[in-house]
Amino acid sequence: MPDQPARPDTLLLRAAGAAVLLDTSGPGLPSVLHWGADPGDLDADARARLVAALAPAVPHSALDTPWPLTLLPGEPDGWSGRPGLAGHRDGADLFPRLVADSAPTVTTTDDGAQELVAAAADAAAGVATRSVLRLEADGLLRVRHTVTNTGAGTYVLAGLTAVLPVPARAGELFDLTGRWCRERSPQRKPFDHGTHARESRRGRTGHDATLLLVAGTAGFGFRHGEVWGVHVAWSGNHAHLAERLAEGAGAGGAGVLGGGELLLPGEVRLAAGESYTSPWVCFSWSGEGLDGLTARVHRWVRARPQHPRRPRPLTLNSWEAVYFDHRLDRLTELAERAAEIGAERFVLDDGWFGSRRNDHSGLGDWTVSDAVWPQGLRPLADRVRGLGMEFGLWFEPEMVNPDSDLVRAHPDWVLGPAPGADEPAVTSGPVDGARLPRPWRRQMVLDLARPEVFDHLLGRISALVDEIGIAYIKWDHNRDLHESLTPGPDGVRRGGVHLQTLAIYRLLDALRERHPGLEIESCSSGGARVDLGILDRTDRVWASDTNDALERQSIQRWTGLLVPPELVGSHVGPPVAHTTGRQAHLSFRCVTALFGHAGMEWDVTTCSPEEVAQLKGWAGLYKELRGLLHSGDVVRADLPEGGPAAGAWLHGVVAPDRREAVYSFVRLTTSADLQPPRLLLPGLDDALEYEVVRRDEAGAPWAVETVPVPWFAAGRTVASGAVLRTVGLAAPLLNPEQAAVLHVRAR
């Protein structure tokens, strides 16, 4: 798309069926009239006519003229909802009247994005803004804003929020909630008048975070309906909001979706000339349900230059195999069995350092324990590499046990309120009234905004990477940040989550710069730090601390709304799940783990020969299919929640050229109906003929039929994409916690 001329009255950005229409005729920032379906290639006259046709009526008891929903709406624009820019200068300059100081520009970047830049200022209020709106080549829309203090004195920023309009037909809201070991639980509600705000004050993304807040047409599903979604790419405090006022959202729509960083009071104080830039806020639209919305996000994530390119290694993590019981002979035997099965990466989890024999002490003392590892970790790491695997190691750098050498030496490094004159700085047990955050899992948070803390962590971790030859770090983060106060230049302790988040980003960036090729996993007591901000600097996320395959089916399903499968760690756990006590058949555990970045978290030295053989078959299937699983479009069939489909899911991945796909039909619970619904395979090309092959390498579902489904018993059939999509195939009768894998290839 050629660069557009300076200062037209309208701008239309278009990409991959999505579009944004902006009116630039006003004196301030551009106003958004439409975000969603592409209306086509409109010339300047057609755009002008469309703008005129969208002008709303002016009712009694309202503003005398139609008001614009600008990129940073506020009361001077006539917007009575949450302001795009909120702040003050000692209680003054609350409502800046932003006037464009130059024409907005639209350029096409080298990666095919169309980028709009609009600057505005209020000289009297001493505030200037710069707004960037990028429509990526795959139709994902990203927005961020910068505010600069151009006046005298300190400007205290209260919030900088990106909002875009959605139309009245978006009558339902969908988001996610959850808890530890039950992340990503979906919920729906009407998009009524008022503000639906999902705010995280946890200092991290949170187990209950909504990865995408979605507004859509009534009854939208995975494969149908029109949907608009928003995601804040930030790993600290943040807010997502859906807001609908009686007067609507200007000419742009009936309501808005938006989000941004959630700032603590006084957390960002801008001296004269200083600036703050918001996180990127990602907006995704689809006219084909949630799968279309997901596809835009996944395609953009995969197009990033830092996205992992090589095949995702099959991993064994030691946690549920040995916990804190670290012995060289036992772990060597575990590594040898893992390599025999087909593992390509071996990760040693918690318990290798300091006094860390349980989770009560030693956290923060990043020195290999002489008591447990008298020869250091190099003998194990060398054996792992000799077996053809990479060696990985667990860290939790941002956290510290009060009972640790680090805290005893540097009690002031703990993030939180300063203790009073007669109060202890830290204690090894309960805080007992000291002005410190309440312990969580017997640990506190280190203040990474302090240069000495940052330098200490960078130095210790970097030295261990070099000494041991670490190729992979499992980076954990096991508590929320409470009372997160850090001293400023004036000695006053103010909110520190913003600085803490920027510091962890810098630390990850510095490690990767020092150690090219080092891969890092974001684990946060499972899935409490899953967002596109942390994924700018890491290579996968740990979706949940539960390896219970039944729980994982749901957790992975909804984590995939934002994150593509190759970035979601998914492991085969023991027969009895550590977190729930549920027992599951090996085939169900294997199939569940297949649809992600697969691995094992189980003492596989205890496996029977039959289990080892099955794991080898599953490992081979993963290696055969991961090129497809980690590059194709995620698809999820819309099976009704009631009737024959109750308790059943059908999901898969379809290659970009639609010549190959892999699906899983999953039975979660029983149904009142004897016969399951036909399998309608989504995402295929109607015009192609496909062979559908049953793949049992991960374990065959055991038969429950007196007379089995003929094609399924035969193991294959042939049909056109149109037949598979519209007529379907008879489904096998599966018991709860059984799953079948179907491999589909064009003939």
Side-chain angles (χ1 to χ4, degrees), residues 140-368:
L140 182 72
L141 182 63
R142 298 196 299 145
V143 181
R144 72 176 176 186
H145 304 288
T146 299
V147 59
T148 301
N149 178 13
T150 60
T154 300
Y155 183 78
V156 181
L157 183 65
L160 197 57
T161 304
V163 296
L164 288 178
V166 291
R169 62 185 181 276
E172 287 187 2
L173 291 176
F174 170 95
D175 60 12
L176 303 170
T177 184
R179 59 170 175 82
W180 179 68
C181 288
R182 192 64 170 84
E183 296 91 338
R184 319 297 169 230
S185 299
Q187 54 187 14
R188 285 187 187 238
K189 62 175 288 185
F191 192 171
D192 295 326
H193 286 176
T195 303
H196 177 71
R198 294 297 310 278
E199 297 183 342
S200 174
R201 302 175 188 274
R202 300 181 178 278
R204 56 178 176 171
T205 323
H207 294 100
D208 60 341
T210 177
L211 300 188
L212 278 164
L213 173 58
V214 178
T217 52
F220 68 84
F222 287 117
R223 307 294 298 174
H224 69 280
E226 193 175 10
V227 288
W228 295 257
V230 60
H231 168 77
V232 179
W234 182 248
S235 309
N237 292 340
H238 61 279
H240 294 77
L241 69 104
E243 194 162 31
R244 195 165 193 165
L245 306 181
E247 60 266 37
V256 299
L257 288 180
E261 183 181 5
L262 181 64
L263 297 174
L264 298 174
E267 189 171 24
V268 173
R269 300 167 59 85
L270 301 177
E274 289 185 337
S275 299
Y276 164 90
T277 298
S278 73
W280 283 107
V281 181
C282 303
F283 296 88
S284 186
W285 168 85
S286 167
E288 299 174 336
L290 293 172
D291 279 0
L293 181 149
T294 289
R296 292 194 192 280
V297 179
H298 288 189
R299 290 167 187 167
W300 175 78
V301 168
R302 287 168 170 164
R304 302 169 306 154
Q306 72 270 37
H307 190 73
R309 302 295 171 197
R310 67 187 179 101
R312 298 293 76 213
L314 186 70
T315 299
L316 185 135
N317 185 277
S318 72
W319 177 243
E320 291 194 24
V322 302
Y323 299 103
F324 289 105
D325 183 14
H326 285 203
R327 286 176 280 142
L328 178 58
D329 56 348
R330 184 179 182 190
L331 284 157
T332 300
E333 183 185 5
L334 181 66
E336 291 168 347
R337 178 57 60 84
E340 177 190 350
I341 290 168
E344 298 159 303
R345 174 182 286 160
F346 183 93
V347 181
L348 181 64
D349 213 290
D350 196 354
W352 55 268
F353 53 92
S355 61
R356 187 75 165 181
R357 307 290 79 78
N358 51 45
D359 65 1
H360 294 204
S361 70
L363 191 60
D365 298 336
W366 301 115
T367 302
V368 179

Side-chain angles (χ1 to χ4, degrees), residues 184 211-212 231 294 297-298 301-302 307 530-532 535 539-541 556-569 634 636:
R184 319 297 169 230
L211 300 188
L212 278 164
H231 168 77
T294 289
V297 179
H298 288 189
V301 168
R302 287 168 170 164
H307 190 73
V530 176
D531 60 79
L532 295 182
L535 276 170
D539 301 279
R540 78 170 198 172
V541 296
Q556 292 173 193
R557 180 182 184 85
W558 296 110
T559 300
L561 195 64
L562 181 78
V563 185
E566 65 270 26
L567 301 184
V568 180
V634 172
R636 293 153 290 202

Side-chain angles (χ1 to χ4, degrees), residues 30 117 171 297 301 333 543 554 674 679 715 738:
V117 178
V297 179
V301 168
E333 183 185 5
S554 176
L674 184 61
L679 303 179
Q738 285 188 275

Side-chain angles (χ1 to χ4, degrees), residues 15-168:
V20 188
L21 177 65
L22 302 106
D23 181 1
T24 61
S25 62
L29 287 169
S31 57
V32 181
L33 301 181
H34 168 74
W35 160 52
D38 185 354
D41 187 9
L42 307 178
D43 61 22
D45 289 340
R47 296 199 302 270
R49 289 193 300 271
L50 179 57
V51 170
L54 291 174
V58 178
H60 294 294
S61 188
L63 292 169
D64 291 342
T65 57
W67 53 273
L69 185 79
T70 68
L71 291 176
L72 282 171
E75 290 189 29
D77 302 308
W79 172 242
S80 298
R82 181 173 296 195
L85 170 62
H88 66 92
R89 195 185 313 275
D90 196 20
D93 299 328
L94 289 171
F95 307 115
R97 296 193 169 211
L98 297 172
V99 177
D101 56 12
S102 61
T105 60
V106 176
T107 57
T108 302
T109 64
D110 291 342
D111 58 0
Q114 297 159 61
E115 183 172 282
L116 177 144
V117 178
D122 182 339
V127 171
T129 64
R130 183 178 186 271
S131 300
V132 179
L133 184 151
R134 281 178 59 98
L135 185 62
E136 305 291 347
D138 288 311
L140 182 72
L141 182 63
R142 298 196 299 145
V143 181
R144 72 176 176 186
H145 304 288
T146 299
V147 59
T148 301
N149 178 13
T150 60
T154 300
Y155 183 78
V156 181
L157 183 65
L160 197 57
T161 304
V163 296
L164 288 178
V166 291

Side-chain angles (χ1 to χ4, degrees), residues 376-398:
L377 288 175
R378 195 63 191 246
L380 176 64
D382 286 345
R383 180 58 180 148
V384 165
R385 285 187 286 269
L387 292 165
M389 297 184 291
E390 299 173 355
F391 182 75
L393 195 60
W394 180 96
F395 289 86
E396 192 174 0
E398 298 152 84

